[in-house]
Amino acid sequence: MGSKAVENKTVIWELDNVVLAKGIKDRIIEDVKTFMGREKWYADRGIPYRRGYLFSGPPGSGKSSFVQALAGTLSMDIRILNLSERGQTDDKLNHLLINAPQQSISLLEDIHTASINRLNFGRCQSAMTFSGLLSTVDSVDAAESWIIFMTTNHPGMLDPVLIRPGQVDLHDTLDDATPAKARMLFERFHAGQRGVKEGGARLKAMLRGWSVTMAALKGLFIISADGTEMALQSLGTVLCPKREPT
């Protein structure tokens, strides 16, 4: 199983623990597997052997968690760079991608940061530039078997040049938890407990008209892991007014 190093610790990510809208998980897994088996097909046609994915959606919707779990499931190394963090530079990004091992995944988080810096809009601690991001992602000298996942909370801020076909092959929106996804997560966390099915149905009904992220639900279910009733009674602490589509 794949892993990543974080402060000298090894972290294993389980894909079964990531709940997404129906069809997204299987579609991405199948696409990555198909890509990994077509190296000769790309070479015969003189096409750069790389694949790009974009996940957009609100914070806590599972974008990065899914990519890390995918790497674990496919036994692939993963390199992660959050473009919004202090001290990030074009050189760091270039080094990460150009030196990525074959058949590995590179995860670029918060790619809208480069657009913020380009427009000089807001305050950003990162020194990443849009031109640096674009030139690295577009590099013809990129490593073979190059798989890039990019995430953003603000898809409307992305320059079309960055996400054009050839840069981004698949784009999926990972949104707030739907009632069905929330129920699935609830029943998984409280499996084997008394009243879990009835509790899942109540939870689904309670979420109508409200927004909640998958990350918030996971945090709640961890705290209330010993009882379904506690989770239901505390649900209001993580709910937000329904978000308008962006």
Side-chain angles (χ1 to χ4, degrees):
M1 179 171 288
S3 64
K4 69 165 188 170
V6 181
E7 296 180 353
N8 298 320
K9 298 178 182 179
T10 300
V11 181
I12 304 296
W13 306 90
E14 295 290 344
L15 194 58
D16 287 344
N17 293 331
V18 181
V19 178
L20 302 178
K22 185 177 180 180
I24 291 180
K25 188 185 299 187
D26 291 340
R27 181 169 65 251
I28 297 297
I29 293 173
E30 186 60 30
D31 190 85
V32 172
K33 287 182 176 179
T34 299
F35 168 78
M36 292 173 63
R38 298 182 72 186
E39 183 172 4
K40 185 177 185 302
W41 186 93
Y42 277 78
D44 289 345
R45 290 157 179 80
I47 303 173
Y49 186 42
R50 59 190 185 188
R51 195 77 172 158
Y53 303 85
L54 173 65
F55 288 154
S56 59
S61 56
K63 300 182 294 294
S64 294
S65 297
F66 172 67
V67 179
Q68 295 174 61
L70 175 67
T73 297
L74 299 179
S75 299
M76 300 177 70
D77 290 328
I78 182 169
R79 295 190 174 193
I80 303 172
L81 187 69
N82 189 318
L83 273 61
S84 66
E85 289 182 351
R86 181 188 295 274
Q88 300 295 9
T89 65
D90 296 342
D91 287 341
K92 286 185 178 180
L93 173 63
N94 185 74
H95 179 81
L96 174 82
L97 296 185
I98 299 303
N99 293 285
Q102 287 196 358
Q103 302 243 329
S104 66
I105 290 175
S106 296
L107 171 59
L108 307 183
E109 300 176 312
D110 295 341
I111 61 168
H112 56 271
T113 299
S115 296
I116 293 176
N117 288 344
R118 183 189 190 192
L119 299 172
N120 196 27
F121 176 78
R123 301 179 62 184
C124 184
Q125 297 177 334
S126 170
M128 194 75 62
T129 67
F130 177 80
S131 60
L133 173 61
L134 183 62
S135 64
T136 299
V137 172
D138 199 33
S139 173
V140 295
D141 297 323
E144 289 298 293
S145 305
W146 198 19
I147 301 175
I148 299 180
F149 281 86
M150 298 183 283
T151 72
T152 180
N153 304 332
H154 304 285
M157 297 184 64
L158 301 180
D159 193 301
V161 173
L162 179 62
I163 57 176
R164 69 184 187 273
Q167 305 283 25
V168 171
D169 301 292
L170 286 179
H171 175 199
D172 275 300
T173 298
L174 277 57
D175 216 330
D176 287 327
T178 63
K181 287 165 56 181
R183 179 177 183 173
M184 187 184 305
L185 191 69
F186 176 88
E187 293 179 354
R188 180 168 296 166
F189 268 77
H190 298 91
Q193 296 182 8
R194 184 177 180 181
V196 64
K197 292 296 183 182
E198 296 80 358
R202 287 171 57 194
L203 173 76
K204 185 175 179 180
M206 292 168 68
L207 286 177
R208 294 194 181 99
W210 295 93
S211 289
V212 62
T213 67
M214 295 298 286
L217 285 177
K218 287 180 182 178
L220 174 63
F221 296 159
I222 289 172
I223 294 173
S224 60
D226 292 333
T228 59
E229 195 60 35
M230 180 180 176
L232 295 171
Q233 291 178 359
S234 303
L235 181 62
T237 63
V238 297
L239 297 181
C240 301
K242 195 70 175 178
R243 265 191 264 258
E244 294 295 327
T246 56

